[in-house]
Amino acid sequence: MTAPTLVPDTRNTFESTIGGYTVGGRAHSLSAWFVLSLRLMMGWAFAYSGFTKLVAAEPFSAGGYLTAVAATNGNPLADLFAWMGSTPWFVEFANVAVPWGELLIGLGLLVGALVRLAAFFGALMMLMFYFGNWDVAHGVINGDFAYMLVFLAVAAFGAGRILGLDARIESYDLGGEPLLERYPRLEYILG
């Protein structure tokens, strides 16, 4: 009689190699709920922020923020922010991109559609806010940096597949073949 072969349980495991270094781990089954809660928290925060900017009595204006904030706080990108704030077309672009970007990123996260794309742009916005609100009095890690990492975690864990529309979109049938199998590069914006 031969001994049974044990097949390793690979559920909830992950591994990644970058620059020759490999890290891996095994997530607890409750991790899906935490990833979902991060997606919904950031979705609500961004959707609410964008919505309130769009319906405010005074129109949203990024000009004052761009010209004043970075120049006063030792920001390493002060010159870039000063250029953005003194360039009329860029200020007009920011006046539209910030509130609508926040709203669309938030809605994408709330319904779980195009989550990786939404999370990428959310992380990019938080990176810009991080430098705009530059303050290292208590170290280089602040709320903006932490939120950027939350967006990246939401993207990395494919949070749109957890009670989100991305799971349905990825499996959409195109002539007997799921969408993601036919177009595997869509994995970079879905999930």
Side-chain angles (χ1 to χ4, degrees), residues 38-85:
L38 290 174
R39 186 190 94 206
L40 294 175
M41 174 193 70
M42 295 307 291
W44 174 257
F46 260 55
Y48 180 79
S49 181
F51 179 75
T52 57
K53 285 178 178 75
L54 289 169
V55 299
E58 292 290 321
F60 173 76
S61 177
Y65 173 82
L66 291 170
T67 52
V69 73
T72 63
N73 61 10
N75 185 322
L77 300 181
D79 292 340
L80 175 62
F81 277 85
W83 172 84
M84 289 188 292

Side-chain angles (χ1 to χ4, degrees), residues 82-163:
W83 172 84
M84 289 188 292
S86 64
T87 306
W89 69 263
F90 190 88
V91 172
E92 289 302 315
F93 168 76
N95 289 344
V96 173
V98 170
W100 281 102
E102 286 177 340
L103 180 64
L104 293 173
I105 289 166
L107 291 175
L109 294 178
L110 285 173
V111 300
L114 304 175
V115 166
R116 285 194 169 126
L117 183 66
F120 168 78
F121 281 109
L124 182 62
M125 285 182 90
M126 293 314 303
L127 180 65
M128 294 307 293
F129 294 152
Y130 172 73
F131 282 109
N133 300 324
W134 183 262
D135 181 8
V136 293
H138 301 288
V140 295
I141 305 300
N142 64 16
D144 295 327
F145 190 86
Y147 286 143
M148 180 183 67
L149 292 180
V150 169
F151 274 119
L152 295 175
V154 164
F157 284 104
R161 296 182 185 122
I162 304 167
L163 296 178

